[in-house]
Amino acid sequence: MSSFAAIKMKPQEVPAGASPTRLLDWYDRHRRRLPWRAAAGDVPDPYKVWLSEIMLQQTGVKTVGPYFKKFIARWPDVISLGRASLDDVLRMWAGLGYYSRARNLHACAVAVVRDHGGVFPDTEEGLRALPGIGPYTAAAIAAIAFDQRTMPVDGNIERVVSRLYAVEDELPQAKPLIRRLAATLLAERRAGDEKSRAGDSAQALMDLGSSICTPKKPACVLCPLSEDCAARAQSAPETFPRKAPKKTGALRRGAAFVVTRGDQLLVRTRPEKGLLGGMTEVPGSEWAVGQDDKTARLQSPDLKGVTRWHRKAGVVTHVFTHFPLELVTYTARVGPRTRAPQGMRWVPLATLQDEALPNVMRKVVAHALDL
């Protein structure tokens, strides 16, 4: 087992690491089959790599799989996606969460078509100039799609590397160090090889973190890097990576107003910028800390014929990245000729699945209408 101590290093210090060759040998035997991943020996499709990486941000593989397949069926290449409307993209994205990704996805496709003739740049620098592509995503696409010698660091790789070297620094401060250490696991190009296998090195670490070096109860006896792992030598792999206590935002409260006109529902579109930008919602109050029911109730839409709102028992709860939310739900029915207030519209309940409803609004509608 490894004898080096837990690492708390100066920026220029990087120790000798585990064997990239053993890692790739393991990957060649156990690589996951994923709808966006090229088969061994095949050339990766940059469009599929990019689309999957955007979808996988803060979202698990099992959740992303069906969405990825729907997008590929509807828009098989970046040119077709770049020519689609943002509304269509948001509708297809509905339920996947973190909706700024969908807006950036569309903007990026438009930019690739408009500025690059429908061909993705093959360098990290070129990729980072595109909308919605940050340092990690640029590195992932460059490595996986174009075999550039760079190592992207996602949550799985971060966990594997922090355990392999028993990095004592807490996240997020440890991120620069972990990136440097992760780069030592890039396979060296061997004589006669056409590729450096940088993308395979990255995907091997991702698969290792997903299947073996899991957050809880890692299967160390199956790990190809176990002999080099400092955290295993300490018998404490689950204590890495070190994390500072999370700061949870204060609870916000509000009201949602679910209005039906026969078999139609009153909805509106949220502003393009900000939380859930461009998504569809039922009318509602502001979401505020300490807001009471009476204040929220006064923010109901002005509808002719509505003299009384029925409050549904219970509350709808939802947790966003930075704060938890509780919504009280009110319902009302209006006559068949009632006009929608300015900025709102009626949509058939039968086609509600085609609207870009975020998960919190799906919960609200289901709760209010007992769906």
Side-chain angles (χ1 to χ4, degrees):
M1 289 189 180
S2 174
S3 60
F4 57 77
I7 295 177
K8 211 169 172 65
M9 306 187 313
K10 295 178 181 179
Q12 69 272 20
E13 297 178 305
V14 176
S19 167
T21 301
R22 283 205 306 276
L23 179 65
L24 284 175
D25 288 344
W26 173 85
Y27 179 69
D28 289 339
R29 295 192 302 273
H30 301 288
R31 61 188 291 155
R32 289 180 291 176
R33 292 184 178 180
L34 300 171
W36 47 83
R37 181 176 287 177
D42 290 348
V43 178
D45 181 348
Y47 172 66
K48 291 182 178 179
V49 174
W50 162 74
L51 179 60
S52 67
E53 287 298 333
I54 300 299
M55 288 184 166
L56 287 165
Q57 292 170 8
Q58 299 176 294
T59 307
V61 167
K62 288 184 179 179
T63 302
V64 165
Y67 282 89
F68 177 86
K69 291 176 182 178
K70 284 196 306 181
F71 265 74
I72 290 298
R74 179 77 176 273
W75 301 297
D77 52 45
V78 71
I79 293 176
S80 58
L81 181 58
R83 291 173 178 169
S85 71
L86 176 58
D87 285 346
D88 282 347
V89 172
L90 287 171
R91 289 190 188 98
M92 288 285 280
W93 191 277
L96 195 55
Y98 302 97
Y99 295 96
S100 61
R101 294 180 299 169
R103 296 192 296 276
N104 287 332
L105 183 84
H106 182 257
C108 184
V110 170
V112 171
V113 173
R114 181 190 63 222
D115 303 332
H116 300 277
V119 178
F120 279 90
D122 61 3
T123 65
E124 280 188 82
E125 182 181 9
L127 290 163
R128 286 191 65 177
L130 294 171
I133 296 185
Y136 162 76
T137 306
I141 299 170
I144 297 170
F146 300 112
D147 199 39
Q148 297 291 321
R149 284 191 56 76
T150 185
M151 177 62 79
V153 179
D154 68 352
N156 283 319
I157 295 177
E158 193 171 71
R159 183 169 59 257
V160 171
V161 172
S162 66
R163 289 173 176 174
L164 186 62
Y165 294 99
V167 176
E168 288 289 349
D169 292 338
E170 289 184 340
L171 293 172
Q173 289 78 12
K175 286 180 179 290
L177 171 58
I178 290 173
R179 283 196 293 270
R180 292 195 298 275
L181 294 172
T184 67
L185 296 170
L186 281 168
E188 293 292 336
R189 188 189 298 271
R190 292 178 293 191
D193 286 351
E194 293 183 4
K195 297 180 61 179
S196 70
R197 298 200 70 183
D200 286 347
S201 295
Q203 291 176 110
L205 285 173
M206 293 173 185
D207 284 8
L208 191 66
S210 173
S211 61
I212 291 179
C213 195
T214 52
K216 296 179 180 179
K217 297 182 179 180
C220 297
V221 294
L222 301 177
C223 180
L225 306 181
S226 60
E227 293 183 3
D228 303 297
C229 183
R232 183 172 187 251
Q234 296 177 17
S235 300
E238 290 186 38
T239 66
F240 295 92
R242 308 294 199 204
K243 295 181 180 179
K246 282 188 176 180
K247 296 181 180 179
T248 304
L251 172 67
R252 300 186 192 182
R253 303 184 71 248
F257 302 96
V258 178
V259 186
T260 53
R261 186 181 72 172
D263 60 357
Q264 296 178 315
L265 179 71
L266 184 67
V267 299
R268 65 187 181 188
T269 300
R270 292 179 65 87
E272 286 294 329
K273 295 184 178 180
L275 183 65
L276 305 180
M279 303 300 290
T280 302
E281 66 174 0
V282 298
S285 72
E286 178 187 7
W287 299 345
V289 175
Q291 181 167 231
D292 58 39
D293 292 348
K294 184 177 179 181
T295 302
R297 164 69 178 77
L298 292 173
Q299 299 173 57
S300 62
D302 185 13
L303 277 160
K304 184 177 180 180
V306 175
T307 58
R308 180 177 175 272
W309 291 94
H310 172 68
R311 176 174 170 171
K312 291 284 290 189
V315 295
V316 173
T317 62
H318 192 79
V319 179
F320 291 98
T321 307
H322 302 299
F323 66 91
L325 175 68
E326 286 185 358
L327 293 176
V328 174
T329 303
Y330 294 91
T331 63
R333 296 177 184 272
V334 297
R337 296 184 179 180
T338 305
R339 291 185 177 182
Q342 186 175 1
M344 303 182 195
R345 63 188 187 278
W346 298 105
V347 298
L349 287 167
T351 62
L352 201 56
Q353 71 273 11
D354 297 327
E355 289 289 330
L357 283 173
N359 282 334
V360 63
M361 287 298 123
R362 293 178 187 273
K363 291 180 185 179
V364 165
V365 173
H367 175 70
L369 303 182
D370 297 318
L371 298 178

